């Protein structure tokens, strides 16, 4: 979660506690770079307190250095820091349209080999059981301009031998694409994964806000083959924020999904979103924020939806009062 001012160990600790209360098993603890970041100091605290880090993920760049248009495998700054702090699960982030890379010389075959070598490094140096995600950071732009690059990488990942496959693919949109585009692209990626026999591969979406379509696009991707999202519990984040976990999960419940009620502490989501907003901005959420803004309770949820039974397997409607 981005903050309007610098995080402190105290704010990182407070957010971490909110995440645990929500029942989230996996979480990102830091985006590692060559700089020392506050998350590293927070990790030192967690380690000293013998905190269970089995669900912790770290962000790391697939390559840290580009020389004469070609990415270099060293230094492995992010991955080395994951090793240092015992963070065994990794999201490797990369771009397929980065202006400093010559993609004619560093083509998709070489990129995929580069990626495969990183997978081997992670399993040899972090854990043979490491959960690995790769994030197409410029997914939408690449599909608009160089779509073949996306398909080559997806096909490579989907056709790895079963014992070498990673957890899955992550992708993001900066908020400029319309829902119909994201629907088609998500279906196409999912179809290719399944066609190659990678039905178990995760497909996780992250949608930035820009034109007011973020949450709707997020839900459309889930309906089109994405298996989940990666997001903060509230919408605070880079630029105008993003489609958050609280809004997504409560919409899924509203639409009849009972599985998330069993997996997460959904009755705490709204409170967590409010608390994390206060931690990161120093203020309450904007009053007209759907679901966890003050005015979200004025009328929409009160008289339109009926009550939800105590049994989460039975769905008879939606009552926001049970999630306050």
């Amino acid at each position: 979660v981005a903050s309007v001012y610098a995080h402190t160990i105290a704010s990182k600790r407070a957010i971490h506690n909110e995440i645990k209360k929500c029942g989230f098993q996996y979480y990102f603890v830091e985006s590692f770079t060559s700089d020392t970041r506050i998350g590293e100091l927070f990790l030192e605290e967690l380690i000293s307190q013998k905190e269970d880090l089995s669900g912790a993920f770290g962000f790391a760049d697939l390559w840290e250095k580009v020389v004469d248009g070609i990415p270099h495998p060293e230094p492995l700054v992010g991955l080395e820091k994951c090793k240092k702090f015992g963070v065994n699960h990794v999201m490797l982030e990369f771009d397929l349209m980065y202006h400093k890379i010559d993609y004619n010389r560093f083509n998709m075959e070489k990129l995929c080999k580069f990626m495969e070598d990183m997978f081997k490094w992670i399993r040899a140096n972090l854990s043979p059981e490491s959960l690995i995600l790769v994030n197409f950071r410029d997914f939408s732009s690449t599909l608009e301009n160089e779509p073949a690059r996306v398909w080559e990488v997806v096909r490579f990942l989907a056709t790895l031998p079963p014992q070498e496959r990673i957890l899955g693919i992550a992708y993001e949109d900066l908020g400029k694409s319309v829902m119909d585009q994201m629907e088609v692209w998500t279906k196409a990626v999912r179809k290719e994964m399944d066609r190659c026999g990678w039905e178990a591969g995760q497909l996780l979406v992250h949608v930035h806000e820009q034109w007011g379509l973020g949450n709707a696009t997020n839900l459309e991707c889930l309906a089109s083959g994405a298996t989940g999202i990666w997001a903060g519990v509230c919408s605070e984040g880079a630029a105008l924020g993003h489609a958050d976990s609280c809004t997504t999960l409560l919409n899924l419940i509203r639409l009849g999904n009972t599985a998330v009620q069993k997996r997460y502490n959904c009755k705490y989501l709204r409170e967590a979103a409010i608390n994390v907003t206060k931690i990161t901005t120093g203020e309450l959420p904007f009053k007209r924020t759907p679901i966890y803004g003050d005015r979200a309770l004025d009328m929409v949820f009160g008289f339109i939806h009926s009550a939800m039974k105590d049994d989460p397997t039975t769905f008879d409607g939606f009552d926001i009062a049970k999630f306050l």
Side-chain angles (χ1 to χ4, degrees), residues 10 12 15-16 52 56 100 108 114 123 134 149-151 159 171 180 187 195 200 223 225 244 251 257 267 282 315:
K12 295 285 279 190
I15 293 171
H16 184 63
D52 178 14
K100 291 185 177 181
M108 293 306 100
F114 191 106
R123 287 165 173 152
V134 294
R149 294 177 185 174
V150 174
W151 304 128
T159 55
Y171 65 110
D180 288 351
K187 284 181 177 178
R195 185 185 71 82
D244 59 86
N251 264 292
N257 186 313
K267 294 184 178 181
F315 182 80

Side-chain angles (χ1 to χ4, degrees), residues 252-273:
L252 289 176
I253 295 171
R254 181 175 71 89
L255 295 170
N257 186 313
T258 58
V260 295
Q261 295 180 69
K262 300 174 184 177
R263 186 164 186 175
Y264 307 115
N265 181 12
C266 294
K267 294 184 178 181
Y268 189 73
L269 286 172
R270 185 175 187 271
E271 184 174 346

Side-chain angles (χ1 to χ4, degrees), residues 12 74 156 198 211 224 230 233-234 237 241 262 264 271 283:
K12 295 285 279 190
E74 295 181 351
F156 159 74
W198 198 23
W211 295 101
S224 301
W230 57 281
V233 70
C234 69
K262 300 174 184 177
Y264 307 115
E271 184 174 346
E283 300 176 355

Side-chain angles (χ1 to χ4, degrees), residues 95-112:
D95 303 283
L96 293 177
M97 290 187 63
Y98 184 40
H99 68 279
K100 291 185 177 181
I101 295 177
D102 182 348
Y103 290 100
N104 291 319
R105 295 165 57 211
F106 187 70
N107 58 28
M108 293 306 100
E109 182 179 355
K110 292 180 180 178
L111 185 149
C112 291

